[in-house]
Amino acid sequence: MTTTTPPTTAAQQFALRRHSPLQRVQHLLHGHPAISPFLVLVISFVIFSTLNPRFASPNSLSLVLQQVAVIGALAVGQTLIILTAGIDLSVGAIAILAMMLAAKLAEGQGLSGGLAIALAVAVGAAAGALNGALVTRLKLPPFIVTLGTLSVFTAIGLLYSEGQSVQATDLPAVLSWTGESFPVGRFRITVGVVAVVLLYLAVGFALAKTAWGRHVYAVGDDKEAARLAGIRVDRVLLSVYVAAGAIYGITAWILIGRAGAASPNAITDANLESITAVVIGGTSLFGGRGAVLGTLLGALIVGFFRSGLSLAGVDDQYRVLAVGLLVILAVAVDQWIRKVRS
């Protein structure tokens, strides 16, 4: 099991009643890691709305959703990796590589929009497969593997694109479709935001309701125990990296719509920002505990802090400082939660 379930036996119920209120909170957060980021999100919304009422306006909130769409999508794949006790430093590089290959072929070779999107997903999956193979076959640490492939994929993307951007106007309309917006009540939502929501629903379902999802948690919690239980650990790990890579390929499509162009210099901070969203969202860096719901909340928290502090007139450097402190706090809370005693 990857999360602590409520006590079911009389002995466990009696033991829990003997715990202090703080220990009960610890148990609750261990079993439901999305509670912490949800509370932070609500509190930050109240504070920023009080500091500047414009923060709570439909226009402002719509803009936040659009701004976090790309990082939120990348963070889905990052969540899968971190759930297995790994980490992926090549997320942005894979997305850029997939985007530039698809855009250049669509512009120069007349590739159709649908095939370009399929190519982006395939390139992302192949890059993820390379990461996974290095981790599972050569037994290299995920940090070292993805640190190396970060440079490799970045260089390939720059060499292939010759450092030049491709404007959305030079691409098939479907490639920039994710940037189109439509009204939802008083809000304006882009197709890219809808795509990200669907991505979260699909991955959340896979993790919660399928055998594959249970195996992902088991491998992240204890690889040796998972192996003894009959789980093919290397196959699960490889599938996670491939799935994450495919998600980065989908993100490439969302990024073209968001930026209005395919640029090899886009999302330069994507690696750290995706990790930030996952960690703030309550997923343990040690694997085996967390959910994509928390990651979504984590991405929104980062967006809230940046938008709220900006509207409050806070200098940009202090906004970066605030997000950094949030990450440290989130990891400290995770360490505390991991010490839970039954």
Side-chain angles (χ1 to χ4, degrees):
M1 297 296 290
T2 60
T3 57
T4 302
T5 55
T8 55
T9 67
Q12 288 175 317
Q13 292 174 352
F14 176 74
L16 185 55
R17 284 196 297 269
R18 295 184 60 187
H19 289 159
S20 68
L22 190 61
Q23 289 174 316
R24 293 179 185 177
V25 170
Q26 191 179 26
H27 272 271
L28 179 65
L29 295 179
H30 188 275
H32 303 86
I35 291 179
S36 297
F38 176 75
L39 293 176
V40 173
L41 186 69
V42 171
I43 293 171
S44 61
F45 177 81
V46 172
I47 292 175
F48 292 135
S49 299
T50 302
L51 292 175
N52 191 328
R54 281 196 302 153
F55 176 80
S57 68
N59 286 340
S60 178
L61 293 177
S62 297
L63 184 59
V64 170
L65 290 177
Q66 295 170 30
Q67 289 173 337
V68 303
V70 172
I71 295 303
L74 291 175
V76 177
Q78 187 73 261
T79 301
L80 292 176
I81 303 297
I82 292 180
L83 279 175
T84 62
I87 199 163
D88 193 345
L89 300 179
S90 65
V91 293
I94 293 176
I96 293 297
L97 175 60
M99 178 178 67
M100 295 314 301
L101 284 173
K104 281 291 186 178
L105 287 175
E107 178 199 35
Q109 306 298 324
L111 195 68
S112 68
L115 286 178
I117 294 170
L119 174 65
V121 175
V123 169
L130 175 60
N131 283 340
L134 292 173
V135 170
T136 58
R137 303 304 179 190
L138 299 185
K139 306 301 180 183
L140 298 176
F143 180 89
I144 299 301
V145 167
T146 57
L147 180 62
T149 56
L150 162 63
S151 298
V152 172
F153 296 145
T154 299
I156 294 175
L158 287 170
L159 289 170
Y160 182 76
S161 66
E162 298 179 337
Q164 298 178 352
S165 300
V166 180
Q167 298 302 313
T169 53
D170 298 325
L171 298 172
V174 69
L175 285 177
S176 59
W177 181 53
T178 53
E180 295 184 7
S181 63
F182 57 92
V184 177
R186 297 175 61 192
F187 296 86
R188 288 203 69 83
I189 304 299
T190 63
V191 174
V193 171
V194 175
V196 172
V197 171
L198 293 176
L199 194 58
Y200 272 88
L201 290 175
V203 175
F205 176 83
L207 286 174
K209 301 297 182 180
T210 67
W212 177 80
R214 291 190 290 272
H215 291 171
V216 169
Y217 280 106
V219 169
D221 192 43
D222 190 327
K223 288 183 176 62
E224 187 57 32
R227 184 176 288 105
L228 292 175
I231 296 174
R232 303 182 70 171
V233 173
D234 286 346
R235 176 175 291 186
V236 171
L237 285 173
L238 182 60
S239 70
V240 164
Y241 281 92
V242 172
I247 290 170
Y248 305 150
I250 295 173
T251 306
W253 178 36
I254 297 172
L255 178 57
I256 293 176
R258 171 62 186 160
S263 171
N265 299 311
I267 55 173
T268 54
D269 297 326
N271 301 325
L272 293 180
E273 289 184 350
S274 66
I275 296 171
T276 297
V278 175
V279 172
I280 291 178
T283 297
S284 174
L285 283 172
F286 300 94
R289 188 177 64 84
V292 290
L293 173 59
T295 297
L296 176 60
L297 296 174
L300 289 173
I301 288 170
V302 174
F304 273 24
F305 265 73
R306 289 183 174 164
S307 177
L309 292 174
S310 177
L311 289 173
V314 177
D315 184 86
D316 185 62
Q317 301 305 319
Y318 287 104
R319 297 201 295 272
V320 175
L321 173 65
V323 173
L325 292 175
L326 268 178
V327 173
I328 295 173
L329 178 61
V331 174
V333 170
D334 174 55
Q335 289 280 59
W336 174 66
I337 292 173
R338 283 173 56 84
K339 297 177 181 177
V340 66
R341 294 289 183 267
S342 61

